């Protein structure tokens, strides 16, 4: 069980690393900071709830079941962080946001203090690593502590569900998808973890034994619910960047034929740290390097080559735009061969400007790269002046 809980904590917490990796100013962004705080606290809840951690904490402090108020306090802090995150995510006037955040923090701080006090007043001499909630469900002090932490966590989940339903009607796109994931996670936590735990505790109050709900059913449902909530918070912030990186990777690969043909003419040095660059950074460097190479090859551009290739492309049924790209590819291929052979530049090079240098971004370069391997007309060396 501990291994599963630690794995859930690791996956849950890794998303916070991704958020901070995204940009250096994340610590100054209340939304990014509150998102990461909620995810980290959720990870710590899992870590604290693992039987191995509970046993280690109890041995370290010398207090039987000291891990219980630690875990319950961490869970209450996590509940508070979820509400704070929703407040920051929803936004609004700064003073109103600040006031709501302070109210949430004050309420759950009082809850955490009450949990610690009730634990100190109760009698928990027998160490229980997996079934403390039900074992001490009827013990004075501990009984109130258990009811209090379940109530605090349940209240946060109900508030989350209400906000997600209301706000989900007002937004679209990735934000709505994220809210639906959060709602699914909150409902699973409410109906899976909260309901099963409460049912098992109430069963003890009435003299029945449904401990398996608390010890076997609740933990995996809580893990799944936390992962869904984490995905809901992170998805709207990371998915656009992930999609952009994926597109950058595809365009970087599509530029390979063009880069292979002109890289010898580029004077842009590759930085030593390029091996760990993300796809978009690699794409930007390749774009700059190719433009540098095209500038170096411009003295070898032959207008006659381009004109002949353009006529051939039009006769083959190409559209005017595609015929232009094919002609430019043929002219570039001829220029690259001449430059690679260390031949002198043309006496009267073509003043023609490539389409790839007229449009922003890499779309023009990608079109040129696609046309380069299959030029409709490739001049023989004897035709190159």
């Amino acid at each position: 069980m501990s291994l599963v809980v630690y794995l859930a904590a690791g996956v849950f917490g890794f998303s916070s690393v991704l958020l901070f990796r995204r940009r250096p100013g994340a610590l100054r962004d209340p939304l990014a900071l509150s998102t990461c705080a909620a995810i980290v606290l959720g990870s710590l809840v899992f870590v604290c709830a693992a039987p191995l951690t509970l046993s280690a904490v109890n041995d370290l402090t010398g207090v039987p079941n000291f891990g219980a108020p630690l875990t319950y306090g961490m869970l209450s802090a996590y509940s508070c962080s979820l509400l704070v995150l929703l407040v920051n995510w929803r936004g609004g006037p700064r003073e109103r946001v600040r006031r709501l955040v302070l109210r949430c923090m004050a309420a759950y701080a009082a809850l955490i203090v009450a949990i610690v006090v009730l634990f100190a007043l109760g009698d928990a001499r027998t160490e229980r690593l997996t079934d403390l909630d039900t074992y001490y469900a009827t013990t004075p002090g501990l009984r109130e502590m258990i009811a209090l932490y379940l109530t605090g966590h349940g209240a946060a989940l109900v508030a989350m569900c209400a906000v997600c339903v209301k706000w989900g009607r007002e937004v679209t796109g990735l934000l709505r998808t994220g809210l639906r994931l959060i709602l699914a996670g909150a409902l699973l936590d409410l109906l899976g973890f909260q309901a099963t735990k409460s049912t098992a505790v109430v069963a003890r109050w009435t003299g029945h034994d449904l401990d398996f709900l608390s010890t076997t059913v609740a933990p995996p449902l809580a893990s799944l619910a936390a992962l869904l909530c984490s995905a809901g918070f992170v998805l709207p912030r990371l998915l656009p960047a992930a999609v952009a990186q994926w597109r950058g990777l595809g365009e970087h690969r599509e530029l390979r034929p063009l880069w292979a043909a002109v890289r010898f003419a580029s004077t842009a040095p590759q930085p030593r740290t390029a091996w760990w660059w993300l796809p978009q950074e690699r794409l930007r460097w390749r774009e700059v390097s190719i433009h540098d190479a095209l500038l170096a090859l411009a003295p070898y551009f032959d207008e006659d080559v381009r004109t002949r290739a353009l006529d051939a492309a039009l006769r083959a049924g190409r559209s005017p735009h595609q015929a232009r790209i094919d002609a430019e590819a043929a002219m570039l291929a001829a220029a690259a061969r001449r430059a690679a052979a260390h031949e002198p530049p043309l006496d009267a090079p073509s003043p023609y400007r490539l389409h790839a240098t007229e449009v922003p971004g890499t779309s023009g370069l990608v079109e040129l790269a696609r046309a380069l391997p299959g030029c409709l007309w490739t001049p023989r060396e004897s035709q190159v002046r």
Side-chain angles (χ1 to χ4, degrees), residues 5-6 8-16 36-49 74 78 226 230:
V5 174
Y6 288 144
V11 174
F12 195 38
F14 182 68
S15 52
S16 66
C36 293
I39 295 173
V40 169
L41 285 172
S43 301
L44 291 176
V45 170
F46 286 118
V47 172
C48 292
M74 198 68 68
Y78 171 60
S230 175

Side-chain angles (χ1 to χ4, degrees), residues 2-174:
S2 294
L3 180 60
V4 175
V5 174
Y6 288 144
L7 181 60
V11 174
F12 195 38
F14 182 68
S15 52
S16 66
V17 177
L18 295 179
L19 281 176
F20 276 107
R21 171 65 178 83
R22 187 183 171 196
R23 55 190 180 88
L27 282 173
R28 295 188 294 273
D29 182 1
L31 180 56
L33 186 59
S34 57
T35 301
C36 293
I39 295 173
V40 169
L41 285 172
S43 301
L44 291 176
V45 170
F46 286 118
V47 172
C48 292
L52 283 178
T53 304
L54 292 174
S55 178
V57 169
N58 295 340
D59 292 341
L60 184 64
T61 59
V63 179
N65 299 306
F66 184 86
L70 176 64
T71 303
Y72 299 157
M74 198 68 68
L75 181 62
S76 299
Y78 171 60
S79 301
C80 178
S81 69
L82 292 178
L83 295 178
V84 169
L85 175 54
L86 284 175
V87 170
N88 282 321
W89 205 2
R90 185 67 186 268
R94 182 177 299 180
E95 285 302 319
R96 178 177 176 274
V97 170
R98 183 173 177 272
R99 184 169 60 252
L100 290 174
V101 168
L102 290 177
R103 286 178 180 176
C104 290
M105 295 177 66
Y108 278 89
L111 176 64
I112 293 172
V113 171
I115 288 173
V116 174
V117 171
L118 288 171
F119 175 79
L121 294 176
D123 183 5
R125 299 177 184 178
T126 304
E127 184 180 59
R128 309 300 298 185
L129 300 179
T130 59
D131 62 346
L132 184 141
D133 290 340
T134 51
Y135 186 85
Y136 288 109
T138 57
T139 303
L142 300 178
R143 174 185 55 208
E144 288 76 16
M145 177 191 71
I146 295 167
L148 194 59
Y149 98 80
L150 287 174
T151 301
H153 186 56
L157 293 175
V158 171
M160 282 181 60
C161 291
V163 172
C164 288
V165 170
K166 181 179 179 182
W167 193 14
R169 298 170 182 168
E170 305 172 4
V171 297
T172 58
L174 280 178

Side-chain angles (χ1 to χ4, degrees), residues 252-278:
H252 185 269
R253 289 175 176 173
E254 287 192 286
L255 290 178
R256 282 178 181 174
L258 179 56
W259 178 236
V262 304
R263 65 181 304 170
F264 73 93
S266 176
T267 59
Q270 185 172 1
R272 296 179 180 178
T273 58
W275 62 272
W276 62 269
W277 281 0
L278 293 175

Side-chain angles (χ1 to χ4, degrees), residues 200-222:
V201 170
V202 172
R204 280 285 188 164
W205 292 350
T206 58
H208 298 83
D209 185 354
L210 294 178
D211 291 7
F212 75 95
L213 292 176
S214 177
T215 58
T216 305
V217 178
L221 293 178

Side-chain angles (χ1 to χ4, degrees), residues 62 226 253 289 306 311:
R253 289 175 176 173
S289 300
R306 189 189 68 82
D311 292 340

